[in-house]
Amino acid sequence: MAETREEETVSAEASGFSDLSDSEFLDLEDTQESSTSHNKPGPSSELPGKDGKLISLPKWKRGLDVLSPMEQFHLKYLYVTDLSAQNWCEQQMVYGKELPGFLTPEKSSVLDTGASIHLARELEVHDLVTVPITSKEDAWAIKFLNILSMIPTLQSEGRIREFPVFGEVEGVLLVGVLDELHYTARGELELAELKTRRHPVLPPDAQRKKDCFQVSLYKYIFDAMVQGKVTTASLIHHTKLCPEKPLGPSVLRHARQGGFSVKSLGDLMELVFLSLTLSDLPVIDMLKIEYIHQETATVLGTEIVAFEETEVRNKVQHYMAYWMGHREPQGVDVEEAWKCRTCTYADICEWRKSGGLPNSVLEPQAEKAK
């Protein structure tokens, strides 16, 4: 790539491959303030049943098909943040897939602010260029070119941001984007995840556990990539990409500017996987989460995460069982019923209606609203 500060990358928007991860997406600060004003799903979330009565969309859909959620939602792969959302509340995550479009304007604004802070951090180490794409093969090619541009920086113990990761886990392709990789004073490779907060307070334990699981999963996938455990065959199988398809002219021009002589996505894939396995990149040694206040950019605190591979694998196996259609989605335990107070889908939640979570849990909140 053309040399700028460290390297030049293409924006995630241009590639169609991004991984929203800001902690405000499941912000608990509203819960602490006992907010009772929610945008609940409207008529579009209910459909007529056989007896003419309205039933919730999820139950109606599950009565008609026996497809796995991966098939039902037409998904070729999952984002790491899909699994971290399951760590918070799986049932809520499912409703987000089944009933899209209910993100409140307030939360949308929070996410936009978080994305802007991430972008500012990214621009500190490299410039962004926009490359027009004409196919999904072009979109993945851009990510591969970004990876190729970042590998030399990692080899020279530099700092990189927005590094794409992907790999097959429990039979499903997972993709994500690492916020930052750098080396510590002791020469250890550290993954630093940035989380922005609307209010100047650290998140509760449940939120931090979700964040810790997310960065642990990032390490699991990145380590597999540099250890040669991710294959082109697996990637092609899941994404249905056509490796022989010629890349678009803009992508080819961008590749040539970076010193890469390729014609197709297959050429790039071969180059990327060779570079990952032959570059002697280390596995991630340290995991760190940094929480900052959106308005003031003040660092609220940092969390050093202990990687527990067995625990991560067990959680992933449990979450993937849902996606593969081996079990129904689950809501929160009674001990974490306070999460329902700010949930957009509380009024239609099958988990609560079926007895998984007593309806009485929200009665104090409802009374306060009166």
Side-chain angles (χ1 to χ4, degrees):
M1 301 292 146
E3 291 187 5
T4 52
R5 271 152 278 191
E6 288 189 12
E7 72 270 342
E8 183 179 71
T9 66
V10 180
S11 66
E13 291 78 12
S15 70
F17 184 96
S18 60
D19 193 19
L20 287 176
S21 61
D22 243 13
S23 57
E24 294 86 351
F25 191 73
L26 296 169
D27 202 337
L28 303 189
E29 293 160 356
D30 290 337
T31 300
Q32 305 305 322
E33 295 168 5
S34 300
S35 171
T36 58
S37 177
H38 313 299
N39 283 352
K40 301 296 183 183
S44 61
S45 67
E46 296 183 323
L47 294 170
K50 293 180 179 179
D51 55 359
K53 295 182 179 180
L54 293 178
I55 58 175
S56 65
L57 177 59
K59 184 176 294 183
W60 175 79
K61 291 176 70 175
R62 290 178 194 136
L64 287 179
D65 62 55
V66 290
L67 299 176
S68 72
M70 291 294 293
E71 297 168 323
Q72 177 185 340
F73 299 125
H74 308 289
L75 300 176
K76 295 183 176 68
Y77 53 81
L78 298 174
Y79 291 108
V80 168
T81 46
D82 287 327
L83 270 67
S84 63
Q86 285 177 271
N87 188 264
W88 173 259
C89 177
E90 186 173 73
Q91 185 68 75
Q92 184 189 68
M93 183 278 302
V94 172
Y95 282 131
K97 298 286 186 184
E98 293 179 322
L99 303 169
F102 290 102
L103 186 63
T104 65
E106 183 180 11
K107 287 189 176 181
S108 295
S109 175
V110 166
L111 284 177
D112 289 342
T113 303
S116 298
I117 294 174
H118 278 77
L119 177 59
R121 286 280 187 101
E122 184 179 1
L123 291 173
E124 292 174 0
V125 298
H126 56 228
D127 288 334
L128 295 178
V129 297
T130 299
V131 177
I133 59 175
T134 59
S135 66
K136 62 182 180 181
E137 283 76 17
D138 281 359
W140 278 86
I142 290 299
K143 284 300 136 186
F144 291 142
L145 287 170
N146 283 344
I147 291 174
L148 288 171
S149 74
M150 296 184 198
I151 288 177
T153 304
L154 276 182
Q155 287 178 305
S156 60
E157 299 191 357
R159 179 188 302 265
I160 63 172
R161 290 198 170 110
E162 304 300 314
F163 186 88
V165 292
F166 47 84
E168 183 178 304
V169 182
E170 298 298 323
V172 176
L173 182 67
L174 278 181
V175 302
V177 180
L178 309 187
D179 272 358
E180 180 178 313
L181 286 172
H182 62 252
Y183 291 86
T184 66
R186 294 188 294 180
E188 298 171 312
L189 183 58
E190 181 175 76
L191 164 59
E193 176 76 9
L194 171 67
K195 298 293 185 184
T196 61
R197 303 287 294 167
R198 190 172 66 236
H199 299 300
V201 293
L202 286 170
D205 287 343
Q207 183 79 50
R208 289 154 76 172
K209 287 180 181 178
K210 179 188 77 71
D211 297 339
C212 290
F213 172 71
Q214 180 181 336
V215 297
S216 295
L217 197 48
Y218 282 150
K219 168 180 163 57
Y220 188 84
I221 299 173
F222 177 87
D223 289 358
M225 290 174 67
V226 300
Q227 292 171 340
K229 297 178 181 179
V230 181
T231 66
T232 56
S234 173
L235 188 60
I236 292 171
H237 168 72
H238 288 288
T239 60
K240 310 304 180 187
L241 292 167
C242 181
E244 298 83 14
K245 185 174 182 177
L247 297 174
S250 297
V251 177
L252 288 174
R253 189 181 312 113
H254 189 67
R256 286 195 299 269
Q257 291 173 351
F260 306 114
S261 179
V262 295
K263 294 182 179 180
S264 66
L265 180 67
D267 295 339
L268 260 182
M269 293 176 73
E270 182 178 354
L271 189 56
V272 166
F273 284 99
L274 281 174
S275 298
L276 284 170
T277 55
L278 300 179
S279 58
D280 292 327
L281 291 178
V283 297
I284 294 172
D285 300 301
M286 302 284 292
L287 298 172
K288 181 177 72 174
I289 303 172
E290 182 181 35
Y291 295 98
I292 71 169
H293 183 214
Q294 282 193 352
E295 184 176 350
T296 64
T298 303
V299 177
L300 303 174
T302 59
E303 176 121 3
I304 303 300
V305 180
F307 179 71
E308 302 290 345
E309 182 173 348
T310 301
E311 182 179 348
V312 171
R313 287 189 64 89
N314 289 340
K315 286 185 177 180
V316 169
Q317 289 174 355
H318 176 69
Y319 298 147
M320 288 303 185
Y322 160 73
W323 290 107
M324 301 302 288
H326 300 320
R327 63 173 179 81
E328 289 291 309
Q330 299 175 352
V332 298
D333 294 331
V334 174
E335 292 77 10
E336 294 189 334
W338 48 268
K339 294 179 180 180
C340 303
R341 295 172 186 166
T342 56
C343 180
T344 302
Y345 312 103
D347 287 346
I348 63 168
C349 181
E350 289 185 32
W351 180 255
R352 292 176 59 237
K353 292 179 179 179
S354 66
L357 180 64
N359 287 326
S360 60
V361 168
L362 292 186
E363 286 180 2
Q365 192 74 8
E367 291 175 3
K368 187 173 182 178
K370 294 179 182 179

